[in-house]
Amino acid sequence: MNIVQQQKCFGGRQIRYQHDSRTLNCSMQFSVFLPPQAEQGPVPAVYWLSGLTCTDENFSSKAGAQRVAAELGLALIIPDTSPRGEGVADDAEGAYDLGLGAGFYVNATQAPWSSHYRMYDYVLSELPALVESELPLNGKRAISGHSMGGHGALVLALRNPGRFVSVSAFAPISNPTDCPWGHKALSAYLGEDRAAWAEYDASLLLKAKGSSLPMLVDQGDADNFLAEQLKPEALQAAANESSAKLELRLQPGYDHSYYFIASFIEDHLRFHAEYLG
């Protein structure tokens, strides 16, 4: 882990790191906020997964999460959204919803994506192992994310019981097997086997397996992507059918932007802090 830059922030440190990822077969950057309590001993962490077109810097610079994280003694771990660098495949037409910035938090099985696009394993295993060995973290984890990142957070939490103590999301892609973004990404990365797609669909996972994990989801009702891409009603139906502990809040007048995230990030961090102790 090499420090790219760091700043003092609310008594803690906002740090950007670079490292060579074996999982993704490329050099990666990620950001970390360490609260002031980390100077005294290990702290719990909230992992944040960003959405389409984002890097690790969008959340750290726009969400305003550090003030509350510093108060609560929470570290924030913020990975990038895809592998990067020379030789990493990208969409031939430069589309925003496939390739660079659009890893969808899956393990790709199809060429040319399978050489690098293994964001699921990266977020689940490699990144936590790295930061927990090098930084003052106590091994307690929660996970959250926005849009594509909300999809990733829900899938990672639902598929790995016990790995995270809680999960939350802002405007997640809740049912990617039934929306244009999901069809495009999952068919490219995983091929046409819809059974493989289902392993990365939070609504299908929740319906099939249930979950005892505390879940909080916020969705703006003025979100341009709500009806066609996000489908929170599918997630709610799955939760109802499986008796899962989902709190889904429809927020009047809010859209898909970071203004929406900044408005409710404090609620999400306090929600996670309750379970992180």
Short mmCIF file of all heavy atoms in Angstrom, two decimals, residues 50-115:
data_model
loop_
_atom_site.label_atom_id
_atom_site.label_comp_id
_atom_site.label_asym_id
_atom_site.label_seq_id
_atom_site.Cartn_x
_atom_site.Cartn_y
_atom_site.Cartn_z
N SER A 50 -19.24 2.49 -4.95
CA SER A 50 -19.78 3.57 -5.76
C SER A 50 -20.46 3.05 -7.03
O SER A 50 -20.36 1.87 -7.38
CB SER A 50 -18.67 4.55 -6.12
OG SER A 50 -18.15 5.16 -4.97
N GLY A 51 -21.12 3.97 -7.72
CA GLY A 51 -21.92 3.62 -8.88
C GLY A 51 -21.21 3.83 -10.21
O GLY A 51 -20.02 4.16 -10.27
N LEU A 52 -21.96 3.66 -11.28
CA LEU A 52 -21.44 3.78 -12.65
C LEU A 52 -20.71 5.09 -12.86
O LEU A 52 -21.17 6.15 -12.42
CB LEU A 52 -22.60 3.68 -13.64
CG LEU A 52 -23.23 2.30 -13.83
CD1 LEU A 52 -24.55 2.41 -14.58
CD2 LEU A 52 -22.28 1.36 -14.55
N THR A 53 -19.59 5.03 -13.54
CA THR A 53 -18.70 6.13 -13.93
C THR A 53 -17.86 6.67 -12.79
O THR A 53 -16.98 7.50 -13.01
CB THR A 53 -19.46 7.33 -14.57
OG1 THR A 53 -20.13 8.10 -13.56
CG2 THR A 53 -20.45 6.87 -15.63
N CYS A 54 -18.09 6.23 -11.56
CA CYS A 54 -17.38 6.79 -10.40
C CYS A 54 -16.02 6.15 -10.20
O CYS A 54 -15.72 5.07 -10.71
CB CYS A 54 -18.21 6.61 -9.13
SG CYS A 54 -19.71 7.60 -9.08
N THR A 55 -15.19 6.83 -9.41
CA THR A 55 -13.97 6.27 -8.86
C THR A 55 -14.10 6.27 -7.34
O THR A 55 -15.18 6.56 -6.81
CB THR A 55 -12.73 7.09 -9.28
OG1 THR A 55 -12.77 8.35 -8.59
CG2 THR A 55 -12.69 7.32 -10.78
N ASP A 56 -13.01 6.02 -6.65
CA ASP A 56 -13.03 6.07 -5.19
C ASP A 56 -13.17 7.49 -4.67
O ASP A 56 -13.49 7.69 -3.49
CB ASP A 56 -11.75 5.45 -4.63
CG ASP A 56 -10.50 6.12 -5.19
OD1 ASP A 56 -10.26 6.00 -6.41
OD2 ASP A 56 -9.77 6.77 -4.43
N GLU A 57 -12.98 8.50 -5.52
CA GLU A 57 -12.98 9.88 -5.04
C GLU A 57 -14.37 10.51 -4.98
O GLU A 57 -14.55 11.52 -4.29
CB GLU A 57 -12.07 10.73 -5.91
CG GLU A 57 -10.60 10.38 -5.76
CD GLU A 57 -9.69 11.37 -6.45
OE1 GLU A 57 -9.73 11.46 -7.68
OE2 GLU A 57 -8.93 12.06 -5.73
N ASN A 58 -15.35 9.97 -5.70
CA ASN A 58 -16.67 10.60 -5.69
C ASN A 58 -17.28 10.66 -4.30
O ASN A 58 -17.72 11.71 -3.83
CB ASN A 58 -17.61 9.87 -6.64
CG ASN A 58 -17.20 10.00 -8.09
OD1 ASN A 58 -16.24 9.36 -8.52
ND2 ASN A 58 -17.89 10.83 -8.84
N PHE A 59 -17.31 9.52 -3.64
CA PHE A 59 -17.90 9.47 -2.31
C PHE A 59 -17.11 10.29 -1.31
O PHE A 59 -17.67 11.04 -0.51
CB PHE A 59 -18.00 8.02 -1.84
CG PHE A 59 -18.61 7.86 -0.48
CD1 PHE A 59 -19.98 8.00 -0.30
CD2 PHE A 59 -17.81 7.58 0.63
CE1 PHE A 59 -20.55 7.84 0.95
CE2 PHE A 59 -18.37 7.42 1.88
CZ PHE A 59 -19.74 7.56 2.06
N SER A 60 -15.78 10.18 -1.35
CA SER A 60 -14.96 10.87 -0.35
C SER A 60 -15.07 12.37 -0.46
O SER A 60 -14.93 13.09 0.53
CB SER A 60 -13.50 10.43 -0.46
OG SER A 60 -12.96 10.79 -1.72
N SER A 61 -15.33 12.90 -1.67
CA SER A 61 -15.36 14.35 -1.84
C SER A 61 -16.77 14.94 -1.86
O SER A 61 -16.92 16.15 -1.68
CB SER A 61 -14.65 14.74 -3.14
OG SER A 61 -15.31 14.20 -4.27
N LYS A 62 -17.81 14.12 -2.07
CA LYS A 62 -19.15 14.66 -2.26
C LYS A 62 -20.16 14.29 -1.18
O LYS A 62 -21.15 15.01 -1.00
CB LYS A 62 -19.71 14.20 -3.61
CG LYS A 62 -18.98 14.75 -4.82
CD LYS A 62 -19.64 14.25 -6.10
CE LYS A 62 -18.97 14.82 -7.34
NZ LYS A 62 -19.62 14.34 -8.59
N ALA A 63 -19.97 13.18 -0.49
CA ALA A 63 -21.02 12.68 0.39
C ALA A 63 -21.06 13.37 1.75
O ALA A 63 -22.09 13.35 2.44
CB ALA A 63 -20.88 11.18 0.58
N GLY A 64 -19.94 13.96 2.17
CA GLY A 64 -19.90 14.57 3.50
C GLY A 64 -19.98 13.57 4.64
O GLY A 64 -20.51 13.88 5.70
N ALA A 65 -19.46 12.37 4.42
CA ALA A 65 -19.59 11.30 5.41
C ALA A 65 -18.58 11.39 6.54
O ALA A 65 -18.79 10.82 7.61
CB ALA A 65 -19.45 9.95 4.71
N GLN A 66 -17.46 12.10 6.34
CA GLN A 66 -16.37 12.04 7.32
C GLN A 66 -16.75 12.64 8.67
O GLN A 66 -16.29 12.15 9.71
CB GLN A 66 -15.13 12.74 6.75
CG GLN A 66 -14.49 12.04 5.57
CD GLN A 66 -15.00 12.53 4.23
OE1 GLN A 66 -16.09 13.10 4.16
NE2 GLN A 66 -14.21 12.34 3.18
N ARG A 67 -17.56 13.68 8.68
CA ARG A 67 -17.92 14.31 9.96
C ARG A 67 -18.61 13.30 10.88
O ARG A 67 -18.24 13.17 12.06
CB ARG A 67 -18.86 15.50 9.72
CG ARG A 67 -19.38 16.14 11.02
CD ARG A 67 -20.38 17.25 10.74
NE ARG A 67 -21.55 16.76 10.04
CZ ARG A 67 -22.59 16.16 10.65
NH1 ARG A 67 -22.57 15.94 11.97
NH2 ARG A 67 -23.63 15.76 9.96
N VAL A 68 -19.58 12.58 10.37
CA VAL A 68 -20.31 11.61 11.18
C VAL A 68 -19.44 10.40 11.48
O VAL A 68 -19.47 9.86 12.60
CB VAL A 68 -21.61 11.19 10.47
CG1 VAL A 68 -22.39 10.20 11.32
CG2 VAL A 68 -22.47 12.41 10.18
N ALA A 69 -18.66 9.95 10.51
CA ALA A 69 -17.76 8.82 10.75
C ALA A 69 -16.76 9.14 11.85
O ALA A 69 -16.42 8.28 12.67
CB ALA A 69 -17.03 8.45 9.46
N ALA A 70 -16.29 10.39 11.88
CA ALA A 70 -15.36 10.79 12.94
C ALA A 70 -16.04 10.78 14.30
O ALA A 70 -15.45 10.35 15.30
CB ALA A 70 -14.80 12.19 12.64
N GLU A 71 -17.26 11.24 14.35
CA GLU A 71 -18.01 11.22 15.62
C GLU A 71 -18.22 9.79 16.11
O GLU A 71 -18.08 9.50 17.31
CB GLU A 71 -19.36 11.90 15.42
CG GLU A 71 -20.25 11.84 16.66
CD GLU A 71 -21.68 12.25 16.37
OE1 GLU A 71 -21.91 13.03 15.41
OE2 GLU A 71 -22.58 11.79 17.10
N LEU A 72 -18.55 8.89 15.19
CA LEU A 72 -18.92 7.52 15.56
C LEU A 72 -17.71 6.59 15.67
O LEU A 72 -17.85 5.46 16.13
CB LEU A 72 -19.90 6.95 14.53
CG LEU A 72 -21.23 7.68 14.41
CD1 LEU A 72 -22.03 7.13 13.23
CD2 LEU A 72 -22.04 7.58 15.70
N GLY A 73 -16.55 7.03 15.21
CA GLY A 73 -15.37 6.18 15.26
C GLY A 73 -15.39 5.09 14.21
O GLY A 73 -14.97 3.96 14.46
N LEU A 74 -15.86 5.44 13.00
CA LEU A 74 -15.95 4.48 11.91
C LEU A 74 -14.92 4.79 10.83
O LEU A 74 -14.81 5.94 10.39
CB LEU A 74 -17.34 4.52 11.26
CG LEU A 74 -18.54 4.20 12.14
CD1 LEU A 74 -19.83 4.39 11.35
CD2 LEU A 74 -18.45 2.79 12.70
N ALA A 75 -14.20 3.79 10.38
CA ALA A 75 -13.38 3.94 9.19
C ALA A 75 -14.27 3.76 7.96
O ALA A 75 -15.25 3.02 7.98
CB ALA A 75 -12.27 2.89 9.17
N LEU A 76 -13.92 4.46 6.89
CA LEU A 76 -14.61 4.31 5.61
C LEU A 76 -13.62 3.75 4.59
O LEU A 76 -12.55 4.33 4.39
CB LEU A 76 -15.14 5.67 5.13
CG LEU A 76 -16.07 6.42 6.08
CD1 LEU A 76 -16.38 7.81 5.53
CD2 LEU A 76 -17.35 5.63 6.33
N ILE A 77 -13.97 2.64 3.98
CA ILE A 77 -13.12 1.99 2.98
C ILE A 77 -13.82 2.13 1.64
O ILE A 77 -14.94 1.64 1.47
CB ILE A 77 -12.87 0.50 3.30
CG1 ILE A 77 -12.45 0.33 4.78
CG2 ILE A 77 -11.83 -0.07 2.35
CD1 ILE A 77 -11.18 1.01 5.16
N ILE A 78 -13.16 2.78 0.67
CA ILE A 78 -13.84 3.19 -0.56
C ILE A 78 -13.04 2.69 -1.77
O ILE A 78 -12.11 3.36 -2.23
CB ILE A 78 -13.98 4.73 -0.61
CG1 ILE A 78 -14.51 5.27 0.72
CG2 ILE A 78 -14.88 5.15 -1.77
CD1 ILE A 78 -14.26 6.75 0.92
N PRO A 79 -13.40 1.53 -2.32
CA PRO A 79 -12.68 1.04 -3.50
C PRO A 79 -13.13 1.75 -4.78
O PRO A 79 -14.14 2.46 -4.81
CB PRO A 79 -13.08 -0.44 -3.54
CG PRO A 79 -14.41 -0.49 -2.87
CD PRO A 79 -14.37 0.57 -1.80
N ASP A 80 -12.39 1.53 -5.84
CA ASP A 80 -12.78 1.98 -7.17
C ASP A 80 -13.91 1.07 -7.68
O ASP A 80 -14.24 0.05 -7.07
CB ASP A 80 -11.56 1.93 -8.11
CG ASP A 80 -11.70 2.82 -9.33
OD1 ASP A 80 -12.83 3.29 -9.62
OD2 ASP A 80 -10.68 3.03 -10.02
N THR A 81 -14.48 1.42 -8.84
CA THR A 81 -15.61 0.69 -9.38
C THR A 81 -15.23 -0.35 -10.43
O THR A 81 -16.10 -1.10 -10.88
CB THR A 81 -16.62 1.67 -10.01
OG1 THR A 81 -15.91 2.53 -10.91
CG2 THR A 81 -17.30 2.50 -8.94
N SER A 82 -13.97 -0.38 -10.82
CA SER A 82 -13.54 -1.36 -11.83
C SER A 82 -12.03 -1.42 -11.83
O SER A 82 -11.36 -0.54 -11.29
CB SER A 82 -14.04 -0.94 -13.23
OG SER A 82 -13.24 0.09 -13.77
N PRO A 83 -11.47 -2.45 -12.46
CA PRO A 83 -10.02 -2.43 -12.72
C PRO A 83 -9.68 -1.29 -13.66
O PRO A 83 -10.54 -0.78 -14.38
CB PRO A 83 -9.75 -3.79 -13.35
CG PRO A 83 -11.06 -4.23 -13.89
CD PRO A 83 -12.11 -3.65 -13.01
N ARG A 84 -8.41 -0.87 -13.65
CA ARG A 84 -7.96 0.24 -14.49
C ARG A 84 -6.58 -0.08 -15.06
O ARG A 84 -5.87 -0.92 -14.53
CB ARG A 84 -7.85 1.53 -13.67
CG ARG A 84 -9.07 1.92 -12.88
CD ARG A 84 -10.00 2.82 -13.62
NE ARG A 84 -11.17 3.17 -12.80
CZ ARG A 84 -12.15 3.94 -13.21
NH1 ARG A 84 -12.12 4.48 -14.42
NH2 ARG A 84 -13.18 4.20 -12.42
N GLY A 85 -6.20 0.67 -16.09
CA GLY A 85 -4.83 0.62 -16.57
C GLY A 85 -4.69 0.03 -17.95
O GLY A 85 -5.64 -0.47 -18.57
N GLU A 86 -3.45 0.07 -18.43
CA GLU A 86 -3.13 -0.44 -19.76
C GLU A 86 -3.42 -1.93 -19.84
O GLU A 86 -3.07 -2.70 -18.95
CB GLU A 86 -1.66 -0.17 -20.08
CG GLU A 86 -1.24 -0.53 -21.48
CD GLU A 86 0.21 -0.20 -21.77
OE1 GLU A 86 0.85 0.44 -20.92
OE2 GLU A 86 0.69 -0.58 -22.86
N GLY A 87 -4.11 -2.32 -20.89
CA GLY A 87 -4.42 -3.72 -21.08
C GLY A 87 -5.73 -4.16 -20.47
O GLY A 87 -6.17 -5.30 -20.68
N VAL A 88 -6.39 -3.28 -19.67
CA VAL A 88 -7.69 -3.62 -19.08
C VAL A 88 -8.78 -3.34 -20.12
O VAL A 88 -8.85 -2.25 -20.69
CB VAL A 88 -7.95 -2.80 -17.80
CG1 VAL A 88 -9.36 -3.06 -17.28
CG2 VAL A 88 -6.91 -3.16 -16.75
N ALA A 89 -9.63 -4.33 -20.38
CA ALA A 89 -10.65 -4.20 -21.41
C ALA A 89 -11.63 -3.09 -21.09
O ALA A 89 -11.94 -2.81 -19.93
CB ALA A 89 -11.39 -5.53 -21.55
N ASP A 90 -12.13 -2.46 -22.15
CA ASP A 90 -13.15 -1.43 -22.03
C ASP A 90 -14.15 -1.63 -23.16
O ASP A 90 -13.87 -2.32 -24.15
CB ASP A 90 -12.53 -0.04 -22.10
CG ASP A 90 -13.48 1.08 -21.66
OD1 ASP A 90 -14.53 0.76 -21.07
OD2 ASP A 90 -13.17 2.25 -21.90
N ASP A 91 -15.32 -1.02 -23.03
CA ASP A 91 -16.31 -1.10 -24.10
C ASP A 91 -15.76 -0.43 -25.35
O ASP A 91 -15.20 0.67 -25.30
CB ASP A 91 -17.59 -0.40 -23.66
CG ASP A 91 -18.67 -0.49 -24.73
OD1 ASP A 91 -19.24 -1.58 -24.90
OD2 ASP A 91 -18.92 0.54 -25.39
N ALA A 92 -15.92 -1.08 -26.49
CA ALA A 92 -15.34 -0.60 -27.74
C ALA A 92 -15.90 0.75 -28.17
O ALA A 92 -15.21 1.53 -28.84
CB ALA A 92 -15.58 -1.62 -28.86
N GLU A 93 -17.12 1.04 -27.75
CA GLU A 93 -17.74 2.31 -28.12
C GLU A 93 -17.67 3.34 -26.99
O GLU A 93 -18.28 4.41 -27.10
CB GLU A 93 -19.20 2.06 -28.52
CG GLU A 93 -19.34 1.14 -29.73
CD GLU A 93 -20.76 0.87 -30.11
OE1 GLU A 93 -21.67 1.33 -29.38
OE2 GLU A 93 -20.99 0.19 -31.13
N GLY A 94 -16.97 3.02 -25.93
CA GLY A 94 -16.81 3.95 -24.82
C GLY A 94 -18.07 4.18 -24.01
O GLY A 94 -18.24 5.25 -23.40
N ALA A 95 -18.96 3.21 -23.96
CA ALA A 95 -20.20 3.35 -23.19
C ALA A 95 -19.90 3.49 -21.70
O ALA A 95 -18.94 2.91 -21.19
CB ALA A 95 -21.10 2.15 -23.43
N TYR A 96 -20.73 4.24 -21.00
CA TYR A 96 -20.53 4.48 -19.58
C TYR A 96 -20.94 3.30 -18.71
O TYR A 96 -20.54 3.19 -17.55
CB TYR A 96 -21.30 5.73 -19.13
CG TYR A 96 -22.79 5.52 -18.98
CD1 TYR A 96 -23.36 5.17 -17.75
CD2 TYR A 96 -23.64 5.64 -20.08
CE1 TYR A 96 -24.72 4.96 -17.63
CE2 TYR A 96 -24.99 5.45 -19.96
CZ TYR A 96 -25.54 5.10 -18.73
OH TYR A 96 -26.89 4.89 -18.62
N ASP A 97 -21.76 2.39 -19.25
CA ASP A 97 -22.36 1.33 -18.44
C ASP A 97 -21.75 -0.05 -18.69
O ASP A 97 -22.35 -1.07 -18.35
CB ASP A 97 -23.87 1.29 -18.64
CG ASP A 97 -24.30 1.20 -20.10
OD1 ASP A 97 -23.41 1.20 -20.98
OD2 ASP A 97 -25.51 1.14 -20.37
N LEU A 98 -20.54 -0.08 -19.26
CA LEU A 98 -19.82 -1.33 -19.43
C LEU A 98 -18.33 -1.02 -19.51
O LEU A 98 -17.93 -0.03 -20.12
CB LEU A 98 -20.26 -2.05 -20.71
CG LEU A 98 -19.68 -3.45 -20.93
CD1 LEU A 98 -20.22 -4.43 -19.91
CD2 LEU A 98 -19.99 -3.95 -22.35
N GLY A 99 -17.52 -1.85 -18.87
CA GLY A 99 -16.08 -1.64 -18.91
C GLY A 99 -15.59 -0.72 -17.80
O GLY A 99 -16.05 -0.81 -16.66
N LEU A 100 -14.65 0.16 -18.12
CA LEU A 100 -14.04 1.00 -17.10
C LEU A 100 -15.09 1.84 -16.39
O LEU A 100 -15.92 2.50 -17.01
CB LEU A 100 -12.99 1.92 -17.74
CG LEU A 100 -11.81 1.24 -18.44
CD1 LEU A 100 -10.83 2.28 -18.97
CD2 LEU A 100 -11.11 0.27 -17.50
N GLY A 101 -15.05 1.79 -15.05
CA GLY A 101 -16.03 2.50 -14.24
C GLY A 101 -17.33 1.76 -14.09
O GLY A 101 -18.27 2.28 -13.47
N ALA A 102 -17.41 0.55 -14.61
CA ALA A 102 -18.67 -0.20 -14.60
C ALA A 102 -18.43 -1.68 -14.35
O ALA A 102 -18.93 -2.53 -15.08
CB ALA A 102 -19.40 0.01 -15.93
N GLY A 103 -17.68 -2.00 -13.32
CA GLY A 103 -17.34 -3.39 -13.05
C GLY A 103 -18.47 -4.24 -12.52
O GLY A 103 -18.38 -5.47 -12.50
N PHE A 104 -19.54 -3.62 -12.02
CA PHE A 104 -20.75 -4.29 -11.54
C PHE A 104 -20.51 -5.27 -10.39
O PHE A 104 -21.40 -6.03 -10.03
CB PHE A 104 -21.50 -4.97 -12.69
CG PHE A 104 -22.65 -4.14 -13.20
CD1 PHE A 104 -22.42 -3.13 -14.12
CD2 PHE A 104 -23.95 -4.35 -12.75
CE1 PHE A 104 -23.46 -2.34 -14.59
CE2 PHE A 104 -25.00 -3.57 -13.21
CZ PHE A 104 -24.76 -2.56 -14.12
N TYR A 105 -19.33 -5.27 -9.81
CA TYR A 105 -19.02 -6.08 -8.64
C TYR A 105 -19.33 -7.56 -8.88
O TYR A 105 -19.87 -8.26 -8.02
CB TYR A 105 -19.76 -5.53 -7.41
CG TYR A 105 -19.40 -4.07 -7.20
CD1 TYR A 105 -20.26 -3.05 -7.60
CD2 TYR A 105 -18.18 -3.70 -6.66
CE1 TYR A 105 -19.93 -1.71 -7.45
CE2 TYR A 105 -17.83 -2.36 -6.50
CZ TYR A 105 -18.70 -1.38 -6.90
OH TYR A 105 -18.37 -0.06 -6.75
N VAL A 106 -18.94 -8.04 -10.07
CA VAL A 106 -19.07 -9.45 -10.41
C VAL A 106 -17.70 -10.04 -10.68
O VAL A 106 -16.71 -9.31 -10.84
CB VAL A 106 -19.97 -9.65 -11.66
CG1 VAL A 106 -21.33 -9.01 -11.46
CG2 VAL A 106 -19.31 -9.12 -12.93
N ASN A 107 -17.63 -11.36 -10.76
CA ASN A 107 -16.44 -12.05 -11.25
C ASN A 107 -16.73 -12.46 -12.69
O ASN A 107 -17.48 -13.41 -12.94
CB ASN A 107 -16.14 -13.29 -10.42
CG ASN A 107 -15.56 -12.96 -9.06
OD1 ASN A 107 -15.01 -11.88 -8.86
ND2 ASN A 107 -15.70 -13.88 -8.12
N ALA A 108 -16.16 -11.75 -13.64
CA ALA A 108 -16.43 -12.02 -15.05
C ALA A 108 -15.89 -13.38 -15.46
O ALA A 108 -14.80 -13.79 -15.03
CB ALA A 108 -15.83 -10.92 -15.93
N THR A 109 -16.64 -14.06 -16.29
CA THR A 109 -16.23 -15.37 -16.80
C THR A 109 -15.99 -15.36 -18.30
O THR A 109 -15.52 -16.37 -18.85
CB THR A 109 -17.31 -16.43 -16.49
OG1 THR A 109 -18.54 -16.02 -17.10
CG2 THR A 109 -17.50 -16.56 -14.98
N GLN A 110 -16.32 -14.25 -18.97
CA GLN A 110 -16.24 -14.18 -20.42
C GLN A 110 -15.06 -13.31 -20.86
O GLN A 110 -14.77 -12.29 -20.24
CB GLN A 110 -17.53 -13.61 -21.01
CG GLN A 110 -18.79 -14.36 -20.58
CD GLN A 110 -18.79 -15.79 -21.04
OE1 GLN A 110 -18.68 -16.07 -22.23
NE2 GLN A 110 -18.91 -16.73 -20.10
N ALA A 111 -14.42 -13.71 -21.96
CA ALA A 111 -13.36 -12.89 -22.55
C ALA A 111 -14.00 -11.67 -23.22
O ALA A 111 -15.11 -11.76 -23.74
CB ALA A 111 -12.58 -13.70 -23.58
N PRO A 112 -13.29 -10.52 -23.21
CA PRO A 112 -11.96 -10.25 -22.65
C PRO A 112 -12.00 -9.84 -21.18
O PRO A 112 -10.98 -9.50 -20.60
CB PRO A 112 -11.48 -9.10 -23.51
CG PRO A 112 -12.73 -8.31 -23.77
CD PRO A 112 -13.83 -9.33 -23.93
N TRP A 113 -13.19 -9.84 -20.59
CA TRP A 113 -13.37 -9.26 -19.26
C TRP A 113 -12.76 -10.11 -18.14
O TRP A 113 -12.34 -9.58 -17.11
CB TRP A 113 -14.87 -9.07 -18.99
CG TRP A 113 -15.58 -8.42 -20.14
CD1 TRP A 113 -16.40 -9.03 -21.05
CD2 TRP A 113 -15.51 -7.05 -20.52
NE1 TRP A 113 -16.85 -8.11 -21.98
CE2 TRP A 113 -16.32 -6.90 -21.68
CE3 TRP A 113 -14.85 -5.93 -20.00
CZ2 TRP A 113 -16.48 -5.67 -22.32
CZ3 TRP A 113 -15.01 -4.72 -20.64
CH2 TRP A 113 -15.82 -4.58 -21.77
N SER A 114 -12.72 -11.43 -18.34
CA SER A 114 -12.32 -12.32 -17.25
C SER A 114 -10.88 -12.15 -16.81
O SER A 114 -10.51 -12.57 -15.71
CB SER A 114 -12.57 -13.77 -17.66
OG SER A 114 -11.91 -14.07 -18.88
N SER A 115 -10.04 -11.51 -17.62
CA SER A 115 -8.64 -11.32 -17.23
C SER A 115 -8.48 -10.34 -16.08
O SER A 115 -7.50 -10.42 -15.33
CB SER A 115 -7.84 -10.81 -18.44
OG SER A 115 -7.81 -11.75 -19.48
#
